[in-house]
Amino acid sequence: MCRVLLSLILCVLPGSMSFAASHAAFFTASFGNSGSVSLSLAEGRPSLDPAFDFDAVITLSETDHGGTVHYRDDGRHRASVRCAQPAMVRIRLVDYPVDVSARPGKDWKHDLWAALCTAPVS
């Protein structure tokens, strides 16, 4: 039942997110005085591949310490995410295992998995 509700929420999410000026970052890496690079979830929907739970589109942007965007990648980087064990993120045809016990902020694949698979459902 939770998966059905989460799937319904994520089906509505891409439409509502398209109106936003920017997407909420699920992972940010800081590079000292150079600023930071953020990965954001532009789309998340139930996967067409039965081995995965979600198909996602990731965007990338670079900002300085003041928050000014210096670069926004126009690419649409696709990923598939499996929530159940073995948890996994697939980029192109490469499967990356996800350590679900990892701390947030250390690995972007874990944070993408967490954004999709541990979203609260009411």
Side-chain angles (χ1 to χ4, degrees), residues 44-120:
R45 65 179 124 217
S47 182
L48 298 176
D49 183 339
F52 289 86
D53 296 296
F54 297 101
D55 290 330
V57 174
I58 301 166
T59 61
L60 178 142
S61 61
E62 179 184 357
T63 58
D64 65 18
H65 288 295
T68 302
V69 176
H70 289 282
Y71 174 74
R72 190 176 316 272
D73 184 3
D74 292 330
R76 297 176 52 82
H77 306 283
R78 299 188 184 283
S80 295
V81 178
R82 178 187 302 149
C83 296
Q85 292 294 338
M88 187 174 305
V89 171
R90 175 178 284 170
I91 306 294
R92 296 192 178 147
L93 295 176
V94 179
D95 293 338
Y96 298 94
V98 173
D99 178 3
V100 299
S101 65
R103 290 187 9 211
K106 296 293 181 188
D107 178 26
W108 70 268
K109 294 175 290 303
H110 170 272
D111 292 359
L112 172 63
W113 174 88
L116 290 168
C117 298
T118 65

